[in-house]
Amino acid sequence: MVKVKEDVSSYNKRASSMMFHQAETVIPGGVTANIKHFSPYPIFMKEAKGSKLIDVDNMEYIDYSLCYGALITGHGHPQILEATMNHLKETGTMIFGTPHELEVEMANKLIELYPSIDQVRFANSGTEAVLLAIRLAVAHTNKPKIAKFEGHYHGGLNQMLVSVNPSEDQAGSLESPTPVIESSGIPEDEQENTIVLPFNDLAATEKLLRAHAHELAAVILEPIQGGFIPAEELFIHGLKKLTDELDIVLIFDEVKTGFRVDIGGAQRAYNINPDLTTLGKVLGGGLPVGAVGGRKDIMMQSAANAKGDVFAVGGDSAETTNVVFHSGTYNGHPLVLAAGMKTIRMLEEGYLLDILTSHTMHLRTRLEELYASYHIDMQTIGMGSIFNIVFTKKPVKNYRDMWQADTAFRKEIDMELLDLGIYLKPLNRYSMSISHTLEDIDKTVEAHEIALNRVLKRKYQQAK
Ligand code: PMP
C-alpha cells in the first residue's frame, strides 16, 4: 500500500491562478473554449513534449487529454514537426488560397481508409464538418429535420446543441426524450428541427424514426458516444437498416473516433458504411481541421458550377438554390493536411495503432485491478485508444446510465491527479498517444493509488 503524504488536496498552481485571474478580465470566463474551464481555475501550460505537458509553474504532467484526443502521436512528435516544417520550406507559404495537390492526396487517402467515402470536402473544425453534413442531407432528401441521440455532442451548431447534457428533470421520458436546448442565445424554435433519440435502444429509436420519417433528412450519431460508450452491434446495424429503408441519411460523426478506434474509424470496427462521415481532430495532426466524406450522389450537392454558386462572377446567383453552399478561406489548409497526412502515414506503418490499443488496454486493466483491490465499484469503458473511468458497476449503455456514476468521487480523484502530475480535464475521457510509454502507465497507476488514498483518508476523517 502506498504511503499517504498529505490528507488534503493541494491544488495550488500559483502561476496558473494568477494568469487565470488576468485572463478573466479580458476573456469571458478566462477561457476561449468553455470546455477548457474547470473549478477553481484551469491550468495554464507553456511547453509540451511527447506524452508530457509542462505548466507555467514548471510542473510536469502526463497528458491524457491530448487536446481532447487530437494528438494521437503526442506533443511535437519529431516526424510530424519535420514533415510540417519541410512542407513550409518547400512550398514557401502558409497557404496558397487555391486548390493544391495535397487536398487530392488526402481525399484519396480517406477514400482508401473509409470504404463508405467516395468524395471528400475539407473544413476547419468538427463543427464546420457537421454543418456541411447536415446541409448536404437536407438538400439531398429535401426534408427539414435532423435526429440526434441524447448525450451526443456534434459541435456548437444551434441545431446540434440540443440534449447534449440535459438534467434529469428536463430530459423527459427514456423512450422519447424531450429536446433540451443547451445554450442561451438559441431561438426556441431551433429545437423544432431536431428530434432526440435514445442511444442503444433500437425499439424506441425505430418508433421515433418511423413517426418522423417523412420530415427527417438525417440521423447523426457518435457511433461511440462521447468516444467511450460503444453502440451495441444489434443497435447500430438495426439503425443502418432503418435509415436505408426510410430514406434517411445516416451520418457517423467520427470526429473523436476517426483513426482512434481503428484507422478506418468506428465504421470499420462495426463494418457499417454510413452515408456521410464527419472527421476532425486526429486528421489535422494537432492543427485545426474538419472533413466530410461520403456517398458521391450526396457529396456532389456541394459541387459549384459556373452559374449556381453564391460567388458566381457578375453577381448572378440566381441558381444558388441548386448548390449546397460550402466555402471557407482556410478550407484544405496545406500545412494542416501535411501534418495530418504524416500522422496517418505513421499510424499505417509499424503496427503503431495495435501497440497503442494494447497500451490503452494495459492501462485500463491495471486501473480496474487497482480500484478492485480497494473494493471500489469502478469500470473503464471505451474502444481503441480512448476510454473513460466510471464509478459504478452497473452497465453503462447510454447517457442516462451515466447518472448512476459517482461523479463527485471521480472529480475528487481527478483533482488529486492534477496535483500528482496526471493531466486530464476533470471528468473528461482519457485519450492515449503513441508517445505514452509503459513507464508513463506505471506512474499513472501509482498516482491513482496515491490519489485514491488521499480521497479515502479525507472521507474517513470527515466521517469521524
Ligand atoms: N463532433 C464530435 C463527435 C466531437 O467530439 C467534436 C469535438 N469534441 C465536434 C464534433 C466538434 O469539433 P470541433 O471542436 O473541432 O469543432
Side-chain angles (χ1 to χ4, degrees):
M1 184 155 311
V2 173
K3 218 167 146 248
V4 182
K5 284 185 261 159
E6 295 178 48
D7 62 349
V8 287
S9 167
S10 38
Y11 187 81
N12 181 17
K13 320 235 170 233
R14 289 175 61 87
S16 282
S17 165
M18 277 164 52
M19 276 187 196
F20 181 66
H21 292 307
Q22 285 171 21
E24 271 185 314
T25 64
V26 288
I27 297 171
V31 291
T32 48
N34 288 359
I35 191 164
K36 290 175 191 163
H37 180 269
F38 60 87
S39 296
Y41 50 85
I43 305 172
F44 283 58
M45 300 296 173
K46 64 168 189 184
E47 257 176 73
K49 190 168 187 217
S51 59
K52 311 287 188 327
L53 282 167
I54 298 171
D55 77 5
V56 285
D57 284 299
N58 292 317
M59 177 159 176
E60 190 177 275
Y61 303 81
I62 303 171
D63 182 14
Y64 286 100
S65 170
L66 295 170
C67 192
Y68 299 89
L71 296 167
I72 200 165
T73 60
H75 294 276
H77 193 288
Q79 288 187 49
I80 305 288
L81 287 186
E82 195 192 355
T84 316
M85 307 282 193
N86 282 349
H87 179 84
L88 258 183
K89 276 194 213 137
E90 280 161 21
T91 60
T93 181
M94 290 289 182
I95 185 164
F96 303 109
T98 67
H100 60 96
E101 201 176 353
L102 202 43
E103 291 175 320
V104 185
E105 202 180 319
M106 182 61 102
N108 274 316
K109 180 52 79 186
L110 296 181
I111 290 163
E112 177 193 327
L113 295 176
Y114 290 77
S116 68
I117 295 183
D118 302 328
Q119 292 194 324
V120 179
R121 275 277 176 123
F122 296 108
N124 304 292
S125 66
T127 301
E128 286 184 23
V130 171
L131 167 70
L132 174 61
I134 287 176
R135 193 175 284 163
L136 284 167
V138 171
H140 176 74
T141 58
N142 211 10
K143 295 191 272 185
K145 298 192 181 182
I146 308 292
K148 75 175 288 287
F149 287 90
E150 190 175 56
H152 291 212
Y153 179 65
H154 302 291
L157 309 180
N158 284 1
Q159 205 181 344
M160 289 294 103
L161 277 178
V162 177
S163 297
V164 178
N165 193 14
S167 64
E168 254 179 286
D169 54 324
Q170 292 173 305
S173 78
L174 185 62
E175 294 76 25
S176 181
T178 306
V180 179
I181 290 186
E182 303 274 11
S183 167
S184 59
I186 297 182
E188 274 292 309
D189 57 8
E190 283 283 347
Q191 73 189 38
E192 284 167 18
N193 280 327
T194 306
I195 310 284
V196 180
L197 306 169
F199 189 54
N200 273 334
D201 183 338
L202 188 58
T205 296
E206 174 166 8
K207 214 167 155 194
L208 286 165
L209 290 187
R210 288 199 186 281
H212 292 279
H214 62 286
E215 52 183 3
L216 268 182
V219 175
I220 186 167
L221 76 155
E222 294 190 77
I224 300 177
Q225 180 186 318
F228 66 95
I229 305 177
E232 293 181 336
E233 288 278 346
L234 275 178
F235 169 79
I236 200 157
H237 285 274
L239 180 67
K240 163 76 178 147
K241 243 177 105 187
L242 271 170
T243 52
D244 282 349
E245 180 200 324
L246 300 172
D247 191 24
I248 298 169
V249 174
L250 180 63
I251 306 172
F252 272 19
D253 184 351
E254 297 235 38
V255 168
K256 285 190 196 83
T257 49
F259 311 98
R260 273 202 171 273
V261 164
D262 186 291
I263 190 113
Q267 55 194 265
R268 191 151 116 170
Y270 284 108
N271 194 20
I272 287 185
N273 283 347
D275 300 307
L276 293 176
T277 300
T278 51
L279 293 166
K281 295 197 193 273
V282 170
L283 177 65
L287 294 172
V289 79
V292 181
R295 269 171 47 188
K296 186 173 178 183
D297 57 332
I298 306 178
M299 293 299 298
M300 279 301 286
Q301 302 276 344
S302 63
N305 58 44
K307 282 197 281 178
D309 188 80
V310 75
F311 294 128
V313 182
D316 176 10
S317 59
E319 292 189 36
T320 49
T321 48
N322 295 329
V323 179
V324 163
F325 176 81
H326 176 236
S327 199
T329 303
Y330 302 108
N331 286 4
H333 198 298
L335 203 59
V336 177
L337 296 186
M341 187 55 91
K342 185 67 200 177
T343 304
I344 295 173
R345 292 238 156 88
M346 282 175 68
L347 294 179
E348 284 182 309
E349 287 159 15
Y351 306 104
L352 280 185
L353 260 192
D354 292 345
I355 296 168
L356 175 57
T357 302
S358 89
H359 275 188
T360 311
M361 263 331 283
H362 179 58
L363 174 59
R364 287 176 58 179
T365 308
R366 296 265 318 267
L367 289 173
E368 284 184 350
E369 284 168 0
L370 170 70
Y371 284 90
S373 74
Y374 283 79
H375 306 288
I376 289 172
D377 284 349
M378 175 274 214
Q379 58 184 314
T380 66
I381 309 171
M383 255 170 100
S385 56
I386 325 176
F387 70 94
N388 213 344
I389 289 178
V390 185
F391 286 106
T392 174
K393 275 285 180 208
K394 296 198 178 127
V396 175
K397 298 196 316 195
N398 61 32
Y399 169 73
R400 294 188 193 201
D401 290 340
M402 286 294 285
W403 287 338
Q404 303 158 9
D406 190 344
T407 43
F409 186 69
R410 165 85 199 267
K411 175 99 194 274
E412 282 192 70
I413 296 280
D414 286 359
M415 293 309 287
E416 294 296 345
L417 288 174
L418 287 175
D419 185 54
L420 293 161
I422 306 296
Y423 185 80
L424 190 68
K425 152 109 188 257
L427 300 178
N428 213 274
R429 66 192 176 276
Y430 285 65
S431 295
M432 297 273 287
S433 81
I434 60 168
S435 296
H436 283 70
T437 60
L438 290 173
E439 196 193 339
D440 288 332
I441 292 177
D442 284 343
K443 283 189 184 157
T444 305
V445 177
E446 227 169 82
H448 265 270
E449 184 159 23
I450 298 173
L452 177 59
N453 274 283
R454 286 187 189 174
V455 173
L456 291 179
K457 187 172 175 193
R458 196 156 59 233
K459 285 197 181 309
Y460 176 71
Q461 282 169 346
Q462 281 161 1
K464 269 205 297 190

